[in-house]
């Protein structure tokens, strides 16, 4: 049995879970998320013990994979609506800056034109200063996806380390050409 899938998910205080057919709706102080699970998986919500248990129909390899995945997604939804998720990015380079106009993130990262990224609905993007971007939201996948899209505008290059990187990310700097 899946080690992750067999663990019950505890429901945090202030979080409501509703089941309608195969659709799971999780609602909390930070927002509301929905997920429709696979037909091979069964999800049961126990209101007394405040736990969600996930079981599977067969021992098929694919079904076993969906078992752990479904449990992890439900857990991420509960954490997201309770506490939320955040990713922090750093913009490193001379003249590299970011700005926010309404719901559009503008980045000047060494190209001839400014790169404009529309912030998806459900995410909150802030810039504490011109060289830091903070992406917050209740959907873990959305937060990670948008942060990865912003980072892909100008990945850190290996010679000077210029570009957009996650806060705390270590970029291995290569030695350049040396005069002999």
């Amino acid at each position: 049995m899946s080690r992750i899938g067999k663990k019950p998910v505890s429901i945090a205080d202030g979080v409501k879970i509703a089941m309608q057919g195969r659709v799971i709706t999780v609602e909390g102080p930070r927002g509301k998320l929905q997920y429709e699970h696979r037909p091979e998986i069964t999800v049961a919500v126990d209101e007394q013990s405040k736990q969600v248990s996930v079981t599977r129909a067969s021992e098929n390899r694919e079904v076993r994979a969906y078992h752990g995945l479904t449990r992890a997604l439900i857990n991420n939804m509960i954490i997201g609506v309770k506490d939320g998720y955040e990713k922090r990015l750093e913009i490193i380079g001379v003249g590299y800056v970011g700005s926010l106009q309404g719901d559009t993130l503008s980045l000047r990262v060494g190209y001839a034109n400014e790169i404009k990224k529309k912030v998806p609905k459900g995410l909150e993007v802030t810039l504490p200063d011109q060289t830091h971007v903070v992406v917050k939201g209740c959907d873990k996948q959305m937060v990670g996806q948008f942060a990865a899209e912003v980072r892909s505008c100008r990945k850190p290059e290996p010679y000077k380390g210029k570009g957009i990187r996650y806060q705390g990310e270590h970029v291995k700097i290569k030695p350049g050409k040396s005069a002999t």
Side-chain angles (χ1 to χ4, degrees):
M1 188 156 196
S2 168
R3 286 189 206 161
I4 303 253
K6 69 181 174 183
K7 284 187 191 171
V9 181
S10 60
I11 302 170
D13 293 333
V15 175
K16 295 181 197 127
I17 294 185
M19 293 276 303
Q20 189 173 25
R22 290 190 355 230
V23 178
I24 304 162
T25 306
V26 180
E27 197 169 348
R30 296 244 179 195
K32 181 178 177 181
L33 296 172
Q34 285 188 331
Y35 172 67
E36 184 175 350
H37 63 82
R38 300 279 302 198
E40 301 95 356
I41 304 298
T42 308
V43 177
V45 179
D46 186 12
E47 296 292 334
Q48 302 327 45
S49 61
K50 294 192 100 179
Q51 289 185 335
V52 179
S53 59
V54 181
T55 55
R56 61 179 181 239
S58 70
E59 291 297 314
N60 192 358
R61 183 181 176 95
E62 191 177 2
V63 176
R64 287 194 323 243
Y66 288 132
H67 185 207
L69 173 73
T70 304
R71 190 259 181 211
L73 290 175
I74 292 169
N75 188 41
N76 289 344
M77 288 166 60
I78 291 171
I79 293 169
V81 297
K82 178 76 170 123
D83 302 322
Y85 289 100
E86 101 172 5
K87 291 269 187 180
R88 295 178 171 269
L89 298 156
E90 298 173 324
I91 304 171
I92 297 174
V94 177
Y96 287 16
V97 293
S99 63
L100 196 63
Q101 291 107 17
D103 65 342
T104 305
L105 176 67
S106 299
L107 300 166
R108 279 190 278 152
V109 285
Y111 296 121
N113 298 325
E114 231 176 62
I115 297 171
K116 295 186 186 285
K117 284 267 180 207
K118 186 154 174 59
V119 178
K121 199 176 238 181
L123 290 184
E124 178 188 331
V125 176
T126 56
L127 280 84
D129 56 53
Q130 290 184 331
T131 59
H132 289 85
V133 180
V134 179
V135 182
K136 293 181 183 177
C138 62
D139 189 351
K140 186 176 186 178
Q141 191 272 332
M142 255 174 100
V143 170
Q145 180 67 37
F146 185 72
E149 286 174 9
V150 170
R151 183 181 181 273
S152 72
C153 291
R154 186 73 166 206
K155 290 183 183 169
E157 55 96 16
Y159 294 101
K160 291 185 180 177
K162 299 188 321 185
I164 302 171
R165 63 175 85 170
Y166 296 113
Q167 192 167 348
E169 179 183 1
H170 177 73
V171 176
K172 189 173 179 186
I173 304 295
K174 293 180 178 179
K177 292 182 180 179
S178 58
T180 55

